[in-house]
């Protein structure tokens, strides 16, 4: 993964976690497997950006940003999803001008 993609992951994780109604980013498979080995002294902490995937398909002019998150109870998932999409879209428009993005937000649970 390039430094710019790592930076984008970190930036987007911060943006998403600031949205009201977001509990946390959904852990990916790698983080879940690490949690199983959490008793190991060599276990690393979970990756805070594991709920974000940034990819560009070959021949596709736009980059797809997929966000998987857990919502807080008491908030409508639809409202949270829309707020996340708007916050991420605004950040990408100002931070990465001239690039086209497709933003996909999936709520995987409620806590």
């Amino acid at each position: 993964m390039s430094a710019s993609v790592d930076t984008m992951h970190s930036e987007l994780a911060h943006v998403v976690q600031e949205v009201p109604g977001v509990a946390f980013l959904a852990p990916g498979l790698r983080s879940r497997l690490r949690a199983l080995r959490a008793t190991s002294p060599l276990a690393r902490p979970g990756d805070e950006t594991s709920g974000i995937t940034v990819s560009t398909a070959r021949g596709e002019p736009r980059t797809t940003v997929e966000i998987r998150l857990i919502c807080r109870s008491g908030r409508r998932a639809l409202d949270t999803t829309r707020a996340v999409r708007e916050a991420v879209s605004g950040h990408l428009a100002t931070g990465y001008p001239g690039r086209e993005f497709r933003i996909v937000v999936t709520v995987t649970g409620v806590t």
Side-chain angles (χ1 to χ4, degrees), residues 1 5-17 22 24-31 47-55 63-69 84 88 91-92 102-106:
M1 204 178 301
V5 173
D6 283 341
T7 301
M8 183 184 290
H9 275 89
S10 297
E11 291 171 356
L12 293 177
H14 180 71
V15 168
V16 170
Q17 291 169 348
V22 173
F24 52 89
L25 289 166
L29 179 59
R30 185 177 301 165
S31 295
D47 182 7
E48 287 124 18
T49 64
S50 65
I52 299 174
T53 305
V54 178
S55 61
T63 300
T64 299
V65 176
E66 296 178 64
I67 301 165
R68 294 167 310 285
L69 57 91
V84 167
V88 168
H91 176 78
L92 292 172
R102 174 178 174 250
I103 302 166
V104 179
V105 180
T106 304

Side-chain angles (χ1 to χ4, degrees), residues 20-103:
V22 173
F24 52 89
L25 289 166
L29 179 59
R30 185 177 301 165
S31 295
R32 289 179 184 174
L33 291 174
R34 272 194 215 128
L36 291 174
R37 299 184 323 182
T39 57
S40 165
L42 300 176
R44 297 185 326 202
D47 182 7
E48 287 124 18
T49 64
S50 65
I52 299 174
T53 305
V54 178
S55 61
T56 305
R58 183 173 292 173
E60 183 72 24
R62 63 184 175 171
T63 300
T64 299
V65 176
E66 296 178 64
I67 301 165
R68 294 167 310 285
L69 57 91
I70 308 295
C71 285
R72 295 190 184 281
S73 61
R75 305 276 303 200
R76 285 181 15 147
L78 177 62
D79 294 339
T80 302
T81 301
R82 287 178 177 163
V84 167
R85 187 183 325 270
E86 185 176 314
V88 168
S89 178
H91 176 78
L92 292 172
T94 57
Y96 300 88
R99 290 178 63 179
E100 187 178 344
F101 293 94
R102 174 178 174 250
I103 302 166

